[in-house]
């Protein structure tokens, strides 16, 4: 059978026309989808600028559906879920990114870091630790170690925290020596609770050698000595603390006054406190000096000297308590009112988060920051 060349001549142009038409349809469809995706992205950004996170999430979900291969949209969506507190969906987004085979190593590390943050914010510390461990050797390794240090501190795993802080101390420009000193103090307190007093004192000596300018190791050693009945050495340790760390004087003034009375060294310690009293005067130091006074007249003069320099409701109530009045009942009523008004002023306030507490904390219970509490009371700030 002879091949008819006429059909061939007609078929080639027809096939070319059909191919061209199909390509134009595909190109038009791609253009429509690419236009829809940027519109959704810009709409999401606009909602973010207006602090409308729910609408921004809806817009980014639409953008991801139109362009599922764009990793940046997934990162933006996952971060929005985390900021909103929807940690389950944030985890799913970042796990989906990690499951993709076309992801670059840089984006894979970024997704791993984002996943670790999801677990950390959700309070899943064991899963966060495992995720952070996988970032070793990546560009996020330093941030991962910082996060791991926070996890160990929250879990009070002081040996692991010490090892991580040692590693960070060799890598970071800042010093971790004071924080390492705190870790040794925490381990010493655990030893003391277990009855190992020599081991606790040895750790506190190591903490002092680690950070000689830190006040806490010496204060903890003095308190242990006081508990063991060694009032003289305990007082000497506090006097040494006031010399090495003058900023800690408000913290040690009261125990110094107590130990001075036990050791009959009131005059020596009172003179030392008066010489170290700062300007403006400290509430705790003023009270300690008044406690070491020879009589009420001298104590009232101490309070009046403070009031002459710095107005204080707390000191005024202390002065009134020592002032002899003709009507004891009226005095009791006034003192009760003053004490109630002054109680909130006696607290300590964290400089990092504002958490207030009646006692002094070396580590803030609210934000977990170290040494964030000023040694002065709220009234003095």
């Amino acid at each position: 059978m002879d091949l008819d060349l006429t059909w061939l001549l007609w078929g080639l142009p027809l096939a070319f026309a059909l191919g061209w038409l199909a390509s134009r349809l595909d190109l038009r469809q791609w253009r429509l989808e690419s236009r829809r995706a940027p519109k959704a992205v810009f709409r999401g950004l606009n909602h973010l600028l207006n602090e409308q996170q729910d609408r921004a999430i809806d817009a980014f979900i639409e953008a991801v559906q139109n362009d599922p291969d764009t990793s940046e949209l997934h990162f933006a969506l996952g971060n929005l879920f985390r900021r909103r507190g929807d940690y389950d969906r944030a985890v799913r987004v970042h796990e989906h990114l990690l499951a993709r085979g076309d992801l670059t190593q840089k984006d894979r590390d970024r997704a791993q870091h984002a996943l670790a943050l999801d677990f950390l914010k959700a309070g899943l510390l064991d899963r966060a630790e495992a995720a952070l461990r996988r970032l070793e050797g990546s560009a996020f390794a330093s941030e991962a170690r910082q996060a791991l240090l926070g996890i160990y501190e929250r879990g009070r795993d002081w040996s692991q925290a010490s090892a991580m802080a040692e590693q960070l101390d060799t890598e970071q420009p800042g010093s971790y020596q004071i924080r390492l000193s705190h870790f040794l103090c925490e381990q010493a307190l655990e030893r003391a609770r277990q009855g190992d007093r020599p081991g606790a004192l040895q750790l506190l000596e190591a903490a002092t050698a680690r950070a000689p300018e830190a006040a806490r190791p010496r204060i903890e050693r003095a308190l242990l000595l006081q508990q063991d009945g060694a009032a003289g050495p305990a007082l000497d340790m506090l006097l040494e603390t006031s010399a090495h760390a003058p900023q800690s004087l408000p913290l040690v003034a009261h125990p110094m006054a107590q130990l001075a009375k036990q050791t009959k060294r009131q005059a020596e310690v009172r003179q030392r406190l008066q010489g170290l009293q700062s300007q403006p005067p400290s509430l705790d130091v003023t009270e300690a000096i008044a406690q070491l006074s020879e009589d009420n007249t001298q104590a009232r003069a101490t309070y009046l000297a403070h009031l002459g320099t710095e107005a204080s409701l707390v000191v005024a109530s202390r002065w009134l308590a020592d002032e002899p009045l003709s009507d004891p009942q009226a005095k009791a009523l006034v003192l009760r009112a003053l004490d109630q008004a002054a109680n909130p002023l006696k607290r300590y306030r964290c400089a990092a988060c504002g958490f207030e507490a009646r006692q002094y904390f070396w580590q803030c219970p609210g934000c977990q920051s170290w040494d964030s509490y000023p040694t002065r009371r709220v009234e003095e700030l």
Side-chain angles (χ1 to χ4, degrees):
M1 181 177 179
D2 295 337
L3 180 65
D4 191 351
L5 295 178
T6 304
W7 287 104
L8 184 61
L9 292 174
W10 279 102
L12 286 175
L14 182 62
F16 175 78
L18 291 175
W20 178 83
L21 183 61
S23 66
R24 295 298 294 175
L25 289 175
D26 288 342
L27 183 62
R28 182 181 179 186
Q29 182 68 21
W30 176 80
R31 284 177 178 174
L32 287 175
E33 291 179 355
S34 63
R35 285 173 185 167
R36 279 200 297 268
K39 286 182 180 179
V41 172
F42 292 139
R43 192 164 64 252
L45 291 175
N46 184 53
H47 290 317
L48 275 182
L49 292 174
N50 294 326
E51 297 184 358
Q52 298 172 332
Q53 292 191 13
D54 292 342
R55 294 186 177 182
I57 286 175
D58 293 337
F60 282 128
I61 288 176
E62 178 185 344
V64 167
Q65 290 173 346
N66 291 330
D67 192 3
D69 295 329
T70 305
S71 59
E72 289 297 332
L73 290 177
H74 286 79
F75 281 120
L77 190 58
N79 292 337
L80 272 177
F81 282 141
R82 189 196 310 130
R83 289 176 57 187
R84 187 187 178 190
D86 196 348
Y87 303 119
D88 289 339
R89 298 175 76 180
V91 167
R92 286 200 297 271
V93 169
H94 294 131
E95 285 181 339
H96 171 72
L97 276 171
L98 287 171
R100 285 174 50 176
D102 60 339
L103 208 63
T104 64
Q105 186 59 45
K106 181 179 179 181
D107 283 342
R108 188 171 299 280
D109 294 338
R110 184 180 170 191
Q112 183 67 42
H113 181 251
L115 181 63
L117 293 181
D118 295 339
F119 291 140
L120 195 59
K121 291 290 185 180
L124 303 173
L125 301 185
D126 53 343
R127 300 182 69 179
E129 180 182 359
L132 290 167
R133 288 289 184 186
R134 297 190 187 100
L135 290 168
E136 192 65 37
S138 70
F140 297 93
S142 180
E143 296 178 36
R145 294 190 189 103
Q146 290 275 6
L148 284 169
L149 179 60
I151 290 175
Y152 296 141
E153 289 181 353
R154 289 172 65 178
R156 305 187 68 80
D157 189 346
W158 304 118
S159 58
Q160 287 270 41
S162 297
M164 190 58 63
E166 290 277 11
Q167 189 173 0
L168 286 168
D169 192 59
T170 60
E171 300 171 351
Q172 299 291 328
S175 175
Y176 283 78
Q177 294 303 311
I178 293 182
R179 188 175 291 194
L180 284 163
S181 176
H182 280 299
F183 297 161
L184 289 170
C185 289
E186 294 291 343
Q187 294 177 66
L189 292 179
E190 290 179 358
R191 290 277 188 91
R193 284 191 291 268
Q194 296 168 2
D196 184 8
R197 314 290 276 201
L201 288 172
Q202 186 177 1
L203 286 172
L204 290 173
E205 290 173 2
T208 304
R210 172 78 69 173
E213 72 281 9
R216 187 185 182 185
R218 291 185 172 88
I219 294 176
E220 299 290 2
R221 285 167 67 187
L223 293 178
L224 280 180
L225 290 170
Q226 184 181 15
Q227 292 171 10
D228 292 339
L235 179 56
D236 292 335
M237 182 61 63
L238 291 180
L239 291 171
E240 180 184 334
T241 304
S242 65
H244 282 83
Q247 74 280 0
S248 67
L249 186 62
L251 298 179
V252 301
H254 282 294
M256 282 173 67
Q258 295 173 359
L259 291 169
K261 291 178 180 179
Q262 294 177 22
T263 56
K264 309 299 182 183
R265 296 164 61 181
Q266 293 95 320
E268 173 194 350
V269 175
R270 189 174 193 276
Q271 185 177 1
R272 173 68 71 89
L273 290 175
Q274 286 176 330
L276 294 174
Q277 176 70 295
S278 59
Q279 294 298 330
S282 164
L283 288 175
D284 293 287
V285 177
T286 296
E287 288 189 9
I289 294 173
Q291 290 175 18
L292 295 174
S293 300
E294 297 176 358
D295 51 35
N296 285 345
T297 302
Q298 193 177 39
R300 290 198 303 274
T302 301
Y303 290 134
L304 284 176
H306 184 115
L307 292 172
T309 306
E310 190 77 11
S312 169
L313 185 60
V314 176
V315 173
S317 67
R318 294 289 184 270
W319 174 85
L320 184 59
D322 290 336
E323 181 69 16
L325 296 179
S326 57
D327 189 349
Q329 186 176 3
K331 177 182 176 181
L333 292 174
V334 173
L335 281 176
R336 187 176 67 177
L338 283 175
D339 287 339
Q340 185 174 355
N343 276 335
L345 304 177
K346 300 175 188 177
R347 298 173 181 169
Y348 297 99
R349 179 186 296 156
C350 175
C353 69
F355 186 90
E356 293 187 3
R358 292 183 179 180
Q359 70 180 81
Y360 185 87
F361 287 101
W362 298 103
Q363 184 184 27
C364 176
C367 64
Q368 307 298 312
S369 299
W370 290 97
D371 295 317
S372 59
Y373 276 91
T375 58
R376 289 178 173 264
R377 311 278 180 164
V378 169
E379 188 184 45
E380 304 173 88
L381 299 179

